[in-house]
Amino acid sequence: MSITNFAPGVHYVGVNDRTTELFEELWMIPLGVTYNSYLIVGNEKTALIDTVAEGFYLELEANIKAVLGDRRLDYIVVNHMEQDHSGSIELLKKEYPEVTIVGNAKTADMLNGFYGINQGVHIVKDGDSLDLGGKTLTFYMTPMLHWPETMMTYLTQEGVLFSGDAFGCFGALAGAVVDSDLNPGMYWMEMYRYYAAIVAKYGISVKNAMKKLAALNLQYIASTHGPVWHDNLQRVVGIYADLAEWKAEKGVVVAYASMHGNTAKAAELVARRLAEKGVKNVVLQNLSNNDISYVLMNMARYNGIIIGGTTYNAEINPRVALLLRALKGSNAQNRIVGCFGCYSWAPGVTKKMMTALDGLKVTTLEPVEFKQSVGADDLSSLNALADAMASKI
Ligand SMILES: Cc1cc2nc3c(=O)[nH]c(=O)nc-3n(C[C@H](O)[C@H](O)[C@H](O)COP(=O)(O)O)c2cc1C
């Protein structure tokens, strides 16, 4: 077998994207991203598991043909309809007009809605199988991971779980595909960041999927983004399980936005006090030059969060507001949360900040608000905030 033919009859035919700046036009991907696609060659039939973003079609087609030669492509299995995975279906149908697309009823609705495809679609439901001749694919519905139609496909004979976006991570591949053939070190934080940005809201769906698939004999987890996991399979499952429970290490993320330096100064003072109280994992992040996914990554990793914001035209600083919305949207829980804010003529920003997090299952600390710059009294309040955080995490 070769480095891309990682199990009998299982071929990696995906692509690297090292040119897109923002994944989903939202999240920075300086280490790139992969769009994974897998070709299963059975004794009678062949099946492609997910495709790639449209812009990478020609590379996918070449990868497929390098394996199939003139052989037919019989099925395209669609685990996830997001365009970075479904984007090449239309072009593949032109190349292989007899191909059947396999998905669930929700997939069929999206195939029609996004691409006008409503012929040659085979609908599957939970537990259905497809026999390729010596290769059996079984389909498990795993909705809201992270769209309604997401499902996973299990190849029984080789124990490969094609998991869709679940267990995925940012980071392009450098030649090797399976973790046994590479140093996985760069992918761990990219996995936290991917989860925090894309999956965090759906921790329940992660837990439901894990319960449903618990009895499967997993030799490989082949997601749509990042390496295929084999040697580190249990570690990857453990990371996703911990993140789904919002389990965290002891540490504090201090994230702030400052226009003219006063809030920034307060953030540095809070970080210093946390360190003086023995907190070793302190991360200080300026929201003006940190992609928000890196802040969310640290908030998924550590159990303490302190957010500093200025008043901006009677509202929360827009960058802080965005972070608060993302944190609320990810259904963050099991966290100790504090905030500090500043103003020049109208107090009240910290009340707005804490209200933005209403409903989250988090422990909140007494907020600190100061006028214009940090005075002696403000410093003791900021120290008290840091002391309270240090004692609770
Ligand atoms: C564009 C702009 C809008 C502001 N709007 C308000 C406001 O509506 N109410 C208020 O009390 N202060 C307002 N301020 C003042 C700041 O909130 C205040 O000076 C704060 O200390 C700024 O912190 P910084 O030095 O970290 O930027 C505004 C400042 C700027 C630059």
Side-chain angles (χ1 to χ4, degrees), residues 32-77:
V33 70
T34 63
Y35 307 121
N36 295 342
S37 180
Y38 305 92
L39 187 58
I40 320 297
V41 180
N43 301 332
E44 280 109 53
K45 302 271 185 187
T46 61
L48 187 73
I49 312 285
D50 291 312
T51 78
V52 301
E54 188 183 4
F56 296 84
Y57 168 72
L58 289 176
E59 198 178 333
L60 171 67
E61 185 195 273
N63 292 345
I64 292 170
K65 287 191 181 297
V67 176
L68 284 189
D70 298 335
R71 203 169 155 182
R72 279 167 55 121
L73 177 63
D74 297 293
Y75 299 105
I76 299 174
V77 175

Side-chain angles (χ1 to χ4, degrees), residues 258-264 310-314 342-346 372:
S258 177
M259 298 170 283
H260 301 297
N262 293 288
T263 316
T310 66
T311 309
Y312 188 89
N313 298 344
C342 53
Y343 66 96
S344 256
W345 58 87
Q372 289 147 2

Side-chain angles (χ1 to χ4, degrees), residues 11 31 33 35 82 140 235 238 247 264 319 326 330 386-387 393:
H11 300 262
L31 299 178
V33 70
Y35 307 121
E82 193 168 2
Y140 294 94
R235 178 171 177 178
K247 280 193 189 140
R319 289 184 178 264
S330 64
D387 295 354
I393 56 168

Side-chain angles (χ1 to χ4, degrees), residues 24 26 123 188 190 196 227 297 299-300 313 316 354 358 365 368:
E24 295 179 347
L26 276 173
I123 305 278
W188 302 124
E190 287 294 80
M297 171 187 80
M299 291 180 167
N313 298 344
I316 305 168
M354 295 316 281
D358 267 358
L365 302 176
V368 173

Side-chain angles (χ1 to χ4, degrees), residues 4-316:
T4 51
N5 174 199
F6 59 89
V10 183
H11 300 262
Y12 178 84
V13 291
V15 299
N16 282 316
D17 179 353
R18 296 181 200 281
T19 47
T20 300
E21 291 276 315
L22 295 176
F23 185 76
E24 295 179 347
E25 295 307 312
L26 276 173
W27 315 104
M28 278 177 76
I29 41 173
L31 299 178
V33 70
T34 63
Y35 307 121
N36 295 342
S37 180
Y38 305 92
L39 187 58
I40 320 297
V41 180
N43 301 332
E44 280 109 53
K45 302 271 185 187
T46 61
L48 187 73
I49 312 285
D50 291 312
T51 78
V52 301
E54 188 183 4
F56 296 84
Y57 168 72
L58 289 176
E59 198 178 333
L60 171 67
E61 185 195 273
N63 292 345
I64 292 170
K65 287 191 181 297
V67 176
L68 284 189
D70 298 335
R71 203 169 155 182
R72 279 167 55 121
L73 177 63
D74 297 293
Y75 299 105
I76 299 174
V77 175
V78 182
N79 280 334
H80 183 19
M81 271 299 294
E82 193 168 2
Q83 285 78 347
D84 52 338
H85 310 300
S86 68
S88 291
I89 291 176
E90 273 182 297
L91 291 167
L92 274 171
K93 265 184 77 68
K94 288 199 176 91
E95 186 61 28
Y96 297 101
E98 73 295 340
V99 77
T100 300
I101 300 174
V102 180
N104 56 62
K106 293 186 184 116
T107 315
D109 171 62
M110 292 182 187
L111 276 169
N112 190 33
F114 284 131
Y115 306 116
I117 295 173
N118 45 40
Q119 304 292 324
V121 180
H122 172 58
I123 305 278
V124 292
K125 51 185 191 316
D126 221 7
D128 282 0
S129 288
L130 195 59
D131 182 1
L132 303 179
K135 301 276 179 218
T136 313
L137 299 178
T138 304
F139 306 105
Y140 294 94
M141 302 304 120
T142 51
M144 299 323 290
L145 247 184
H146 55 113
W147 278 19
E149 89 301 347
T150 44
M151 67 181 199
M152 297 188 190
T153 301
Y154 177 64
L155 172 59
T156 316
Q157 286 80 359
E158 274 67 44
V160 184
L161 179 67
F162 300 99
S163 60
D165 276 354
F167 307 112
C169 62
F170 290 135
L173 294 169
V177 169
V178 181
D179 61 347
S180 331
D181 302 320
L182 53 81
N183 175 346
M186 69 167 260
Y187 296 103
W188 302 124
M189 277 300 103
E190 287 294 80
M191 185 172 284
Y192 270 80
R193 191 163 73 88
Y194 176 85
Y195 184 95
I198 311 294
V199 183
K201 183 183 179 80
Y202 304 109
I204 301 275
S205 311
V206 173
K207 289 188 262 188
N208 293 341
M210 285 186 171
K211 227 180 276 153
K212 181 177 272 191
L213 304 168
L216 294 184
N217 159 32
L218 295 187
Q219 295 303 315
Y220 295 90
I221 290 183
S223 80
T224 49
H225 298 297
V228 171
W229 298 106
H230 177 63
D231 294 356
N232 294 277
L233 189 147
Q234 290 312 325
R235 178 171 177 178
V236 169
V237 172
I239 288 173
Y240 262 73
D242 286 352
L243 288 168
E245 294 288 352
W246 285 87
K247 280 193 189 140
E249 295 169 57
K250 181 174 169 164
V252 183
V253 184
V254 181
Y256 69 92
S258 177
M259 298 170 283
H260 301 297
N262 293 288
T263 316
K265 180 149 183 280
E268 297 284 354
L269 291 166
V270 166
R272 174 64 48 83
R273 183 73 175 198
L274 286 166
E276 284 165 0
K277 290 292 174 184
V279 180
K280 291 223 174 351
N281 291 317
V282 179
V283 186
L284 194 50
Q285 290 184 283
N286 177 355
L287 291 169
S288 298
N289 56 20
N290 272 265
D291 180 76
I292 194 171
S293 63
Y294 287 90
V295 182
L296 294 171
M297 171 187 80
N298 288 314
M299 291 180 167
R301 193 174 173 202
Y302 296 120
N303 63 343
I305 295 173
I306 295 181
I307 299 173
T310 66
T311 309
Y312 188 89
N313 298 344
E315 292 300 338
I316 305 168

